[in-house]
Amino acid sequence: MKNKENFDKEYKDLVFKIGYFRNKNNLSARDTSLRLGFSDSFINRIETYKVELKVSTLLKFMELVEITPEEFFYAKPEDYAKDKEIFDLIKSLSPENKETILDLAKKLKR
């Protein structure tokens, strides 16, 4: 089991992403709370760590802002759309072309 410090950091990252996607969708904390069926200060209390987030609430939130769990938990959500597009294109390539792309990516990384 991870130590408490790591857990706290990961939980803070998760709560940060709620704010990120909420702002990206131009939703106030109050509006988000009400749309999820909670009191008007509920999301604010989550974002200030006064209430612990439940998985069911997180899933409702993702539905509200129309994102998948994959997008929510992506390391850099701002890069998700482009990275997914690249990945989807690569999946459609022949094995030989995948190797070519992999070689090119390795060269570009240097």
Side-chain angles (χ1 to χ4, degrees), residues 7 46 55 95 97:
F7 176 83
I46 287 174
V55 172
N97 286 339

Side-chain angles (χ1 to χ4, degrees), residues 30-40 42 57 60 64:
R30 180 182 187 279
D31 191 34
T32 303
S33 297
L34 295 174
R35 287 186 185 198
L36 292 174
F38 297 103
S39 68
D40 61 353
F42 183 73
T57 304
K60 283 182 185 179
L64 174 66

Side-chain angles (χ1 to χ4, degrees), residues 100-110:
T100 301
I101 294 294
L102 181 60
D103 291 341
L104 175 62
K106 286 177 181 177
K107 288 177 185 173
L108 291 172
K109 187 177 177 182
R110 292 181 195 159

